[in-house]
Structures are given as C-alpha cells and as structure tokens.
C-alpha cells in the first residue's frame, strides 16, 4: 500500500506540486506570523525576562512592568529579612521627557538600579560597560532606538527631565512594548530625571536562596508586607504580556490573519487530494475489485496525507528559516521556538488527514463494476 500510495501521488506532479504549495504556505504562515507575534508581545515582559531576579515585588495589583506605582524604598530591608531571600534590590522605572540636539523632544523610559546592583541591569552591551554608568551623568541607551534620540554616540550629551545626561554605553535589542526607548542609569540619577523622591521605588527585585521555594517566598513577602504583591519572574512576565493581550487587539488580529491563511492552505490541499482521486477512480475501483478492503483504501489516502505533510513541513521550515534569517531584526524580531515549529507540523498533518476524508467518502461509494464496464 505504501508503494501504491506514493506512486499514485507522484503520478501527477502538477497536482502534487499544488498541494505541496498549500502545505508549505500553511507552515510558513503559522511560523512567521506566530514568530512575529511572539517577538512583538515578548517585548511586554523584556525587563522581567532578562532581570535575573527570581521574584518581582511591587505595589498591590501590579499588572504591567512598564506602568508601575511607587512604593517606599525602605521596605527592601523587610524583604531582605524574609526566610529564603538571599538579596533584594530596589528598582526604579518611569517615563519622562528627553530634549534632543535637534530641538525636538522624545519620551523615554528611565530605568534606575543601585550602583553595585546585580539584578535588573542592562544586557547585550556592545559599547561601554556597567561600570560606565557610575560616571557623572552616565546613561546607557540602545542602538536600535538611536533614531528616536537623534543618533547618539558614546560621549553625546542629552537632557533628560531637565538634567544633563551623557551617553556612556550602548546595548542592542532592548526594545520595550511601548514606543519609548529605555534609558538605563544609576538609581539616584534616575530619581532626579523622573523628579521623584529617592525614598520611593517602583519594584523590589528579589534573589532567593538556592533550593528555596519561590512561591513560598512570595507568600511570605505578601504576609510580611500586605501592601505589596510578589510574583515569580515567569509569572509576572505572563502578567505583563496578558495586560497587553487583553487590552489591545493584537491576539485577535494576528489570530485572524493566521486562520485566514490556514483556510487557504486547507482548501488548496483538499482540492488537490480530491482531484487526484477523481482522476484515478478506475485504479481505486481495481483495488476494490481485487479484494482491497476499505481499511486498505483509507490507508493509501493516509499515506499520501502523511507524505505531503512531511515533505511540506520540511520544505516550509527551510523557507521559514530563510525568512527569519533575512527579515528578523531587533525592531521586528521573528521568534520561533521549537514548540511552534513542531506544533505547525502536527497542525498541517491534521489538515492533510482531514482533507483525505473527502475523497475517501467518494471512494466508499465506488462500485468495483466500473472496472469491468471500462
């Protein structure tokens, strides 16, 4: 049956190519569209994901890392006394205005950490170092967002919150979900840029002892300081993502576009499979006339469906990889995890199997006598 199925499938190369185009189209669409979506929505939790903190603690009902509410900075000492906490550091974050050399203005998100902080500091440094932020008026900005800040270079001066700022380092790829570029600096300097009292902070980044239960430490923090919430890093990452998913139409728009493409792929595959069967009704009638069972006939169609799904999946992943290599940028990243690629394969396999049911229903009604009549 394997031999019959494959020979029947490749006998009409034009129709086979049409079916493969539909499968490849569906694979590429799911992976690229899903990759764009994951890359975009991943920005909503970028600071959380790369903070290296085990726990994020902040004001009650915190729901978005970029939109915090201030809490007293002195509470950090109470958190440090919680069993299982190895260290806790205050973290300041807020939006203010930067004055540019061209005379224009730009909103920026200022991120402040303590001078010797280990958590929440900038990453992917391509120029300068973390110690550079200790220089007078030192700030670290991102290369990808350079156009929004009039293309600064190391040593360039800017004015943030009405105060002097000097670029001493640059990162690459740190772009948040908001359209405002991130500016990293020391805690006290960030408070000055944001015109906030240094006695307040936005979050506490917590590092737990090895072997400590993160969820239990979160519960202990909430019990010790009822005015704040505490989440494990992965959980707060999802909280930040869910905020934008539920308050914008991102999920609906990406999902609708992907679903529409899948429908096109389904139609192309189903039509091709159906046409292949119609062109070979006599051959299937011969199989039934010589004693082939309904299960064997269906096995032929399943083999064809699996073959098309496998070939289309591999070709689609190859084309997806090429598209990702060419078009993925820090500004528009295409993030394709393994589970998305594997899931797209099972999805397309399901499409091919379901599509094979249509011609099978026609074959079941086929009378083997048509062979003798021919």
């Amino acid at each position: 049956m394997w031999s019959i199925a494959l020979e029947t499938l490749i006998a009409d190369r034009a129709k086979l190519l049409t079916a493969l185009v539909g499968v490849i189209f569906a694979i590429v669409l799911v992976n690229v569209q899903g990759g764009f979506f994951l890359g975009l929505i991943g920005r909503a939790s970028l600071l959380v994901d790369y903070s290296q903190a085990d726990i994020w603690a902040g004001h009650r009902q915190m729901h978005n890392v970029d939109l915090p509410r201030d809490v007293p900075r002195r509470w950090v000492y109470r958190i440090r006394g919680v069993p299982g906490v190895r260290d806790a550091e205050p973290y300041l974050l807020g939006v203010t205005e930067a004055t540019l050399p061209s005379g224009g203005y730009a909103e920026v998100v200022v991120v402040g950490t303590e001078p010797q902080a280990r958590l929440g500091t900038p990453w992917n440094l391509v120029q300068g170092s973390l110690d550079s932020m200790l220089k007078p008026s030192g700030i670290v900005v991102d290369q990808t967002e350079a156009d929004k800040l009039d293309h600064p270079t190391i040593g360039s001066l800017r004015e943030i919150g009405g105060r002097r700022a000097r670029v001493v380092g640059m990162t690459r790829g740190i772009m948040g979900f908001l359209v405002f570029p991130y500016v990293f600096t020391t805690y006290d300097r960030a408070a000055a840029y944001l015109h906030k009292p240094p006695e307040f902070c936005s979050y506490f980044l917590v590092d737990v002892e090895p072997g400590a239960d993160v969820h239990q430490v979160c519960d202990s923090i909430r019990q010790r300081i009822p005015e704040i919430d505490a989440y494990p890093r992965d959980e707060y990452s999802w909280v930040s993502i869910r905020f934008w998913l539920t308050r914008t139409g991102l999920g609906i728009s990406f999902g609708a576009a992907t679903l529409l493409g899948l429908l096109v792929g389904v139609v192309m595959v189903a039509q091709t499979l159906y046409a292949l069967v119609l062109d070979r009704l006599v051959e299937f009638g011969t199989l039934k006339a010589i004693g082939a069972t309904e299960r064997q006939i269906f096995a032929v169609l399943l083999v064809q469906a699996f073959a098309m799904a496998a070939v289309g999946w591999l070709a689609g992943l190859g084309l997806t990889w090429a598209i990702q290599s060419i078009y993925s940028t820090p500004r528009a990243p295409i993030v394709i995890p393994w589970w998305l690629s594997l899931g797209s394969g099972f999805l397309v396999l399901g499409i091919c199997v379901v599509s094979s049911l249509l011609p099978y229903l026609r074959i079941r009604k086929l009378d083997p006598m048509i062979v003798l009549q021919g």
Side-chain angles (χ1 to χ4, degrees), residues 98 100-101 106 108 141 145-152 158 181-183:
L100 307 179
V108 296
V141 297
E145 302 275 48
D147 57 323
K148 298 180 181 178
L149 299 173
D150 279 0
H151 301 280
R158 296 294 184 270
Y182 286 121
V183 173

Side-chain angles (χ1 to χ4, degrees), residues 88-124:
E89 298 173 357
Y91 189 77
L92 186 62
L93 187 148
V95 178
T96 189
E97 191 173 72
T99 304
L100 307 179
S102 62
Y105 300 90
E107 301 293 326
V108 296
V109 179
V110 178
V111 179
T113 56
E114 292 189 323
Q116 303 303 322
R118 298 182 301 106
L119 309 175
T121 55
W123 62 98
N124 286 349

Side-chain angles (χ1 to χ4, degrees), residues 211-223:
D213 187 287
V214 175
H215 291 87
Q216 186 175 350
V217 174
C218 288
D219 293 337
S220 300
I221 292 174
R222 295 189 191 101
Q223 291 174 5

Side-chain angles (χ1 to χ4, degrees), residues 4 93 157 163-164 183 218 224-225 240 260 269:
I4 294 174
L93 187 148
L157 292 175
R163 296 177 179 270
R164 176 190 177 99
V183 173
C218 288
R224 178 161 293 194
I225 312 175
S240 297
L260 181 61
V269 174

